[in-house]
Amino acid sequence: MADPHAKMTQATPQEVIISIVAGLLAPLLAIFLVVQLVLGIQDEQKPDTTSEAAQKAIAERIKPVARLEAIDANAPKVEKSGQEVYDAICTSCHAAGALGAPKFDNKGDWGSRIGQGYDTLVKHAIEGIRQMPPRGGGSDLSDVEVARAVAYMANSGGAKFTAPEAAAPAAAAPAAAGAAATASVAKPDPAKGKVVYEATCAACHATGVAGAPKLGDKAAWSARIGQGFEGLYHSALNGKNAMPAKGGNADLPEADLANAVGYMLVEAGGKL
Ligand code: HEC
Ligand code: HEC
């Protein structure tokens, strides 16, 4: 009976109550802490959109996109000057003469090239020639922008070319081409048309393929000239017999087409 262990293993009623309460509370406490921890982590992940600094940061992050959309939506394309185009694109080869490019401001490099004439240089710059990529790789440059850059560069090498002014309506704003068709028909620019002619129309009109009236062949054109520029333009726009609409180049802007017709008409001895 005097076993000392008996006393030690025998729990008193208070001890029983304490251990029961502790046994219940411990898991509850653990659950509570886990829940607190999870909530805390979620809170940290939520971006802070309320403070002024945070809102500024967000505005800063989305700004370039917002600005781009504004340009796309509202502004008509503003054509760059020759110097702007050169500085943005052409300089990468033409400043140092990479790949054999004629160097800016170097009369020796440009002399013989200038002899080809402005139109040919512009054509080469638009279409590319040997190591010179079309439009210098700036595929979204308009013909006018390339032509201005060519004048800027060639003039640095001793030429005295006059860069084209603002583009023909359709070239600047294709969306307005339909509405501006009459305006662009009214004022074709034969000098610009020559470039288009050589790229698109010469395939048939240089040699008279399929009965195409040859460039500068007055006899072949005499009867046609009577229609006046408008009539010829509409034949070229819609096609006529073996002549495909727009010379088969559906993407050709109407102002370019009008310029080409104007060029062909003038070459045929007609008047605009
Ligand atoms: C990737 C390099 C490169 C870039 C960019 C470039 N060019 Fe050139 N360019 C050349 C080379 C190389 C030549 C010489 C080609 C040849 O005659 O073999 C050349 C020649 C030319 C010529 C003379 C063509 C001729 O018939 O003699 C013109 C004009 C010209 N480039 C205009 C431009 C314009 C305008 C730009 C910018 C819109 C431009 N280039 C951007 C490499 C470049
Ligand atoms: C696939 C060959 C071909 C191409 C490419 C071509 N033409 Fe023609 N074109 C013809 C033929 C063929 C005729 C003669 C049609 C007829 O009167 O029977 C013609 C006639 C014309 C006429 C006279 C129409 C008339 O009413 O008498 C004009 C103007 C004309 N072409 C402009 C152009 C222009 C501008 C381009 C380039 C944008 C072009 N053509 C490209 C084949 C072509």
Side-chain angles (χ1 to χ4, degrees):
M1 278 300 286
D3 185 356
H5 293 286
K7 178 84 181 135
M8 290 193 60
T9 50
Q10 194 87 45
T12 65
Q14 290 101 314
E15 280 173 335
V16 171
I17 290 169
I18 287 173
S19 63
I20 287 173
V21 170
L24 282 173
L25 276 185
L28 278 179
L29 187 70
I31 289 169
F32 175 78
L33 287 175
V34 167
V35 168
Q36 284 300 306
L37 185 69
V38 169
L39 287 179
I41 289 171
Q42 282 178 347
D43 254 10
E44 265 167 36
Q45 283 176 344
K46 246 184 254 160
D48 171 15
T49 51
T50 47
S51 77
E52 200 183 323
Q55 293 197 343
K56 240 187 215 161
I58 289 168
E60 199 58 39
R61 242 182 291 145
I62 64 171
K63 200 167 76 185
V65 177
R67 207 193 297 134
L68 201 70
E69 278 169 1
I71 289 171
D72 273 359
N74 305 324
K77 180 171 160 60
V78 176
E79 302 214 296
K80 295 191 198 68
S81 73
Q83 184 175 357
E84 284 166 342
V85 174
Y86 174 78
D87 288 344
I89 298 194
C90 322
T91 182
S92 58
C93 295
H94 284 272
L99 305 169
K103 271 186 257 175
F104 191 81
D105 214 8
N106 184 315
K107 294 199 168 54
D109 281 4
W110 280 99
S112 61
R113 296 183 186 267
I114 290 168
Q116 303 177 88
Y118 185 43
D119 289 348
T120 305
L121 289 175
V122 170
K123 180 175 187 283
H124 290 166
I126 289 174
E127 292 174 2
I129 179 171
R130 293 178 284 268
Q131 302 272 36
M132 160 77 197
R135 293 175 203 272
S139 53
D140 57 346
L141 290 178
S142 71
D143 291 358
V144 168
E145 287 173 324
V146 175
R148 285 176 181 169
V150 171
Y152 176 69
M153 291 160 66
N155 290 354
S156 83
K160 289 195 167 51
F161 298 140
T162 313
E165 294 298 319
T182 343
S184 66
V185 170
K187 272 193 174 179
D189 181 337
K192 283 184 206 152
K194 184 169 192 263
V195 179
V196 180
Y197 166 82
E198 280 163 2
T200 313
C201 322
C204 297
H205 284 274
T207 51
V209 171
K214 275 197 249 178
L215 183 78
D217 179 344
K218 294 199 169 58
W221 281 94
S222 60
R224 301 176 188 271
I225 286 175
Q227 305 175 65
F229 172 77
E230 292 272 348
L232 293 174
Y233 172 74
H234 283 102
S235 300
L237 180 64
N238 303 315
K240 181 180 184 188
N241 302 323
M243 160 78 197
K246 289 187 165 182
N249 189 337
D251 293 339
L252 192 66
E254 284 170 17
D256 284 1
L257 182 71
N259 290 339
V261 173
Y263 171 66
M264 291 165 81
L265 177 60
V266 168
E267 287 293 306
K271 286 212 174 72
L272 284 173

